[in-house]
Amino acid sequence: MTRWLTEAVPRGRIAAFRTVIYLFVAADLVIFTPWVRTRVSVPGDLYQPLLIGRLLHLPTPTAALVAVIFWSLLVLALLAATGRAPRLLGWTVCALYLEWMIIAMSYGKVDHDRFGLLVALAVLPTAGRARHGDTTRTEAGGWALRVTQIAVICTYFLAAFAKLRFGGLDWLTGSVLARAIIRRGTDLADLIAQVPYLLIVAQFGIVAFELLSPVVFFLPPRWRLAMVGFFYSFHAVTIATITISFAPHLAAMTSFLPLERVRPLLWARRLAGREPPRSTTDAPAYADTPTEADAGRATLDDQAPVVGRPAGP
């Protein structure tokens, strides 16, 4: 189990994942949760802090406090996305974003799609320094990714548990999706709703999918990536039908992907005719010989399943 939790991954994957997560935090402030800044206009007695807020004795949010958190978090998240000072900036961003979420979720509604993102912010500072394209492996980085993956899957599994705990079997046979379509459905959802019993079948499918989500850890690497692709397609359908976005969860789920292969700046330089000289850190991007090509393909298989032959060195 310890070997599985700390299985080494390329440092380039950590660098890419770090960039994705911190850029999403900055985008979240201005695109997905700018409404948090309006909470200061709500009477203070309506602020009912979450348990963690009560334990930490956090103050009732004021206009000044929210403004300081917003601007500090926005600037520091952009700096952290560069990979500089990973521990100092990482822990600071984690603390500020946690407070941002406590303010957001202390007025009666708690979104479960933030869990994986919060875990990613908590563990990324422990991964240490990492450069884009670096193929050397790190167990600390592997642990950070694995813990984030577990949080992502727990989000699915515990969501099914909550459905059955509070809704019982009636959740499966009731009108949950029908009400969602009435409230916020799209034209596509209206077409789907006209098919008899299809919404009931979809509710059974959703719960089955969530309960079976831990299977992803037992699959061979390529099948695991295919299942993660199914996870993303599920959320694409959700957005297209009932306009519910799980953007923070989708950002955290990139922990399953071989992100070290995504090198937009390198690709831009090559398109501009400014291809940099070859180096060991850029080996996967220049897989011209059979040996290098094999090394590039091996990055898909560096996270072994729970059972079976472990991949990597």
Side-chain angles (χ1 to χ4, degrees):
M1 178 59 74
T2 301
R3 183 178 181 183
W4 176 73
L5 284 172
T6 61
E7 183 152 10
V9 299
R11 291 185 184 274
R13 182 174 303 186
I14 298 300
F17 183 64
R18 176 178 286 144
T19 298
V20 168
I21 292 299
Y22 290 132
L23 286 181
F24 178 82
V25 169
D28 187 47
L29 295 174
V30 297
I31 298 175
F32 300 107
T33 59
W35 47 266
V36 176
R37 303 178 70 183
T38 66
R39 289 292 186 258
V40 297
S41 61
V42 177
D45 56 355
L46 296 180
Y47 174 72
Q48 301 293 325
L50 302 175
L51 175 61
I52 186 173
R54 298 194 299 273
L55 292 175
L56 296 177
H57 301 287
L58 297 177
T60 300
T62 62
L65 175 63
V66 172
V68 168
I69 294 174
F70 176 85
W71 290 110
S72 299
L73 186 53
L74 182 61
V75 173
L76 293 176
L78 292 174
L79 288 175
T82 67
R84 299 180 183 275
R87 290 181 175 84
L88 176 61
L89 290 176
W91 291 123
T92 305
V93 169
C94 178
L96 288 174
Y97 190 76
L98 177 61
E99 170 63 358
W100 184 257
M101 285 293 98
I102 291 173
I103 294 173
M105 306 301 167
S106 293
Y107 291 87
K109 180 178 182 292
V110 178
D111 296 330
H112 68 286
D113 63 346
R114 305 274 163 175
F115 179 57
L117 178 64
L118 287 168
V119 170
L121 290 173
V123 298
L124 268 175
T126 69
R129 294 186 177 276
R131 295 182 59 187
H132 289 272
D134 190 348
T135 58
T136 59
R137 295 174 180 268
T138 165
E139 290 187 350
W143 179 83
L145 288 183
R146 189 70 79 194
V147 171
T148 304
Q149 293 169 2
I150 293 172
V152 167
I153 298 305
C154 282
T155 300
Y156 288 130
F157 187 82
L158 295 178
F161 177 77
K163 291 180 178 68
L164 297 177
R165 177 188 176 189
F166 297 104
L169 295 180
D170 290 339
W171 197 98
L172 299 171
T173 59
S175 56
V176 177
L177 290 180
R179 290 198 299 269
I181 291 174
I182 292 173
R183 291 177 54 204
R184 53 193 305 163
T186 64
D187 292 338
L188 175 61
D190 292 337
L191 291 175
I192 294 175
Q194 296 176 20
V195 181
Y197 301 108
L198 183 57
L199 296 183
I200 300 297
V201 172
Q203 288 168 187
F204 273 90
I206 289 172
V207 172
F209 145 66
E210 291 175 336
L211 289 175
L212 293 174
S213 59
V215 172
V216 71
F217 291 122
F218 295 87
L219 297 176
R222 294 188 183 277
W223 283 103
R224 188 184 317 129
L225 287 178
M227 188 168 183
V228 172
F230 170 77
F231 292 166
Y232 276 105
S233 66
F234 168 79
H235 291 288
V237 172
T238 301
I239 295 173
T241 53
I242 54 179
T243 63
I244 294 179
S245 170
F246 285 78
H249 179 79
L250 300 182
M253 196 156 61
T254 59
S255 57
F256 282 99
L257 305 179
L259 294 176
E260 70 277 11
R261 290 189 164 195
V262 182
R263 304 288 305 280
L265 295 180
L266 181 60
W267 297 341
R269 293 192 192 103
R270 296 178 67 179
L271 289 174
R274 298 169 55 190
E275 183 172 324
R278 298 185 183 184
S279 66
T280 56
T281 58
D282 288 329
Y286 297 92
D288 296 326
T289 66
T291 301
E292 291 173 333
D294 292 340
R297 285 192 296 270
T299 57
L300 282 174
D301 302 332
D302 60 356
Q303 294 192 41
V306 178
V307 294
R309 179 180 62 83

